[in-house]
Amino acid sequence: MKDRALGKVRNALGGILLGVVLVLAALALLWLNEGRAVADYRSIKELESYTVPVSPHRVNPENEGNAVYLTWRAGTSDTLRDRQFGIQRTALRMVRTVEMFQWKENRPSKREIEQGVLPTYELVWARQRFPSEEFLQPEDHQNPPMKYITTTWLAEDISLGAFQLPASLLLKLDDYVPVDATNAVPTIPESVIHNGGDLYLGENVAEPMVGDLRISYRALDPQQISLIARQFGSTFDTFVSRDGKVHAPIRTGVHTQAQLLSYERSTVKAITILLRILGFVLAFAGLMMIFSPMTVLVGVVPVFQRVVRFGLAMVCLLFAGILTLLMISLSWFAHRPWVAVGIGLLTFLLVILMSRAFKKPDEMAVQLRKAKLEARLASRREPDLSANPNSPAS
């Protein structure tokens, strides 16, 4: 019993320490995230102030090193070839995607393994080989090596009017179209089945076996490109702001300069919101771990334990919200004071709501005690008529 009690104390202390670490990590993440967001917005504004539209018909040396905006058709005469499977296409980029039918291990946690829980296995299609030699039960779940892997081909000569589009910017585009492999003539020794517009290496498409491969192709064809980048000779490079932030917005299709910058801001905003949510979740989880011993103290009565857990979760949610807003306001205060003031007011309102939430149970308890006391005093003042035989009622 004593060892069991000591074990519970150790677990509780370990949970509290881990909770403190999570809360500190959440605060650091929120602080750094807001600083990153402010720096990103400033660098985009700097990019906007330096960007000038250029003509696609000639390279102006006066714009060397400056940020330029250009929209034009990206074209190439290069033919990209996969000689193994006989696929070729005139494109800016072509990708061969290879998937293998193989075993996947669903490994239980370390504690579950110690308790005797065995891993489970399933057959799936995956682009990367799962190392079956590292499985807990590799005997009946062997994955052969992948004979062919996913590969990318890039055109070397891509014209954008009088300019050349570098591979570093081309890799940021992903507006692919599927490539039909129906007429492909493979040069490999294995038998290849044409499965619709894709290829299949195996005996039966309907009944795949471990080691079977299915191969598909997609390409980025010549098309209209819009970009903002630093002019570097007759090609382009990324724009680096004074804060060291790197920008080179590029998209397929016709987009104005304002639209490209708006897309950049939207990306920064989305990342900022996601990291704020992550910081809030980490703070909430850490606070729950710190105050979790409170539920152990009332663990004898399950009903009380559920009530305490629910109340604790609500309190931790409020505290996590306050900490999140406080860190956001503190981080923004040095950069945008008015935004920080607004967030600070919202935090103050949450604090007021929390204080009222704590006061209400106390007020209700006082009212209840007062009502009980008045009832007792009233019962003492009233005579007991039933015990008096000389009363008028008798």
Side-chain angles (χ1 to χ4, degrees):
M1 290 292 291
K2 187 176 179 180
D3 293 339
R4 189 175 180 181
L6 288 174
K8 287 184 177 181
V9 171
R10 290 195 196 97
N11 292 334
L13 290 175
I16 291 173
L17 290 175
L18 181 58
V20 171
V21 171
L22 287 179
V23 171
L24 293 176
L27 297 179
L29 174 63
L30 291 168
W31 178 271
L32 295 175
N33 179 45
E34 300 308 318
R36 177 203 57 81
V38 171
D40 283 342
Y41 284 127
R42 284 183 171 176
S43 64
I44 293 173
K45 191 173 183 179
E46 181 183 344
L47 174 63
E48 182 178 16
S49 63
Y50 282 108
T51 301
V52 294
V54 295
S55 170
H57 303 296
R58 78 179 184 92
V59 178
N60 188 350
E62 294 180 359
N63 294 322
E64 181 71 17
N66 294 331
V68 297
Y69 160 74
L70 176 65
T71 178
W72 199 252
R73 185 179 185 275
T76 184
S77 58
D78 293 350
T79 300
L80 307 180
R81 293 183 176 86
D82 181 359
R83 302 184 185 279
Q84 291 178 315
F85 292 95
I87 300 292
Q88 61 181 29
R89 190 181 184 93
T90 301
L92 308 178
R93 185 180 179 186
M94 186 172 71
V95 179
R96 177 183 74 190
T97 302
V98 183
E99 297 175 287
M100 185 171 73
F101 196 65
Q102 56 184 303
W103 289 105
K104 178 185 177 182
E105 180 184 64
N106 300 311
R107 183 173 297 191
S109 64
K110 185 177 180 181
R111 179 177 296 179
E112 290 175 334
I113 292 175
E114 293 174 351
Q115 294 173 352
V117 179
L118 298 177
T120 59
Y121 296 87
E122 59 179 331
L123 288 168
V124 297
W125 288 99
R127 297 182 183 181
Q128 299 290 335
R129 176 184 176 270
F130 297 118
S132 56
E133 59 275 8
E134 298 178 5
F135 289 171
L136 295 180
Q137 296 177 341
E139 297 81 13
D140 300 325
H141 309 96
Q142 291 290 325
N143 291 328
M146 293 184 71
K147 296 181 181 180
Y148 307 98
I149 60 174
T150 297
T151 309
T152 299
W153 292 268
L154 298 175
E156 295 182 359
D157 183 15
I158 302 176
S159 63
L160 197 63
F163 295 88
Q164 293 290 313
L165 186 66
S168 58
L169 297 184
L170 177 64
L171 290 172
K172 299 178 69 173
L173 300 173
D174 57 359
D175 192 11
Y176 292 103
V177 294
V179 177
D180 191 352
T182 303
N183 299 320
V185 181
T187 60
I188 61 175
E190 292 89 352
S191 59
V192 178
I193 300 174
H194 288 83
N195 181 28
D198 300 333
L199 303 177
Y200 189 90
L201 272 69
E203 296 182 1
N204 191 343
V205 176
E207 298 180 1
M209 303 290 291
V210 174
D212 286 3
L213 301 176
R214 61 185 186 188
I215 302 172
S216 60
Y217 292 84
R218 51 201 175 107
L220 181 68
D221 290 333
Q223 58 190 291
Q224 200 82 9
I225 299 293
S226 301
L227 63 82
I228 297 177
R230 185 172 65 90
Q231 181 176 315
F232 183 69
S234 61
T235 185
F236 303 99
D237 197 0
T238 54
F239 173 83
V240 182
S241 68
R242 285 173 292 186
D243 294 335
K245 298 292 182 178
V246 178
H247 294 283
I250 179 172
R251 283 179 173 255
T252 56
V254 179
H255 302 275
T256 64
Q257 176 181 333
Q259 286 174 331
L260 289 176
L261 294 170
S262 177
Y263 297 145
E264 285 289 283
R265 292 189 182 96
S266 298
T267 302
V268 174
K269 184 177 180 180
I271 295 173
T272 303
I273 292 174
L274 286 175
L275 290 178
R276 284 173 180 170
I277 294 174
L278 178 59
F280 171 79
V281 171
L282 288 175
F284 171 70
L287 290 172
M288 286 293 292
M289 288 183 176
I290 292 172
F291 296 109
S292 60
M294 293 177 60
T295 61
V296 179
L297 297 176
V298 293
V300 180
V301 183
V303 177
F304 288 168
Q305 191 175 38
R306 285 193 292 269
V307 172
V308 171
R309 280 181 179 174
F310 177 77
L312 180 63
M314 294 299 101
V315 172
C316 289
L317 277 174
L318 280 173
F319 265 117
I322 290 172
L323 286 175
T324 300
L325 292 174
L326 184 62
M327 290 306 298
I328 292 173
S329 61
L330 287 175
S331 182
W332 279 72
F333 187 78
H335 307 284
R336 296 187 180 180
W338 290 111
V339 177
V341 169
I343 298 174
L345 289 175
L346 183 59
T347 307
F348 181 68
L349 290 176
L350 281 177
V351 172
I352 292 176
L353 289 175
M354 177 176 286
S355 62
R356 288 185 177 180
F358 281 122
K359 286 180 180 179
K360 282 183 178 180
D362 295 337
E363 292 174 359
M364 291 177 62
V366 170
Q367 294 291 338
L368 185 59
R369 291 195 194 102
K370 188 176 180 181
K372 287 182 178 180
L373 182 59
E374 290 177 353
R376 288 178 182 174
L377 291 175
S379 63
R380 290 177 182 176
R381 290 171 187 165
E382 293 179 359
D384 189 359
L385 299 179
S386 61
N388 186 2
N390 297 321
S391 64
S394 61

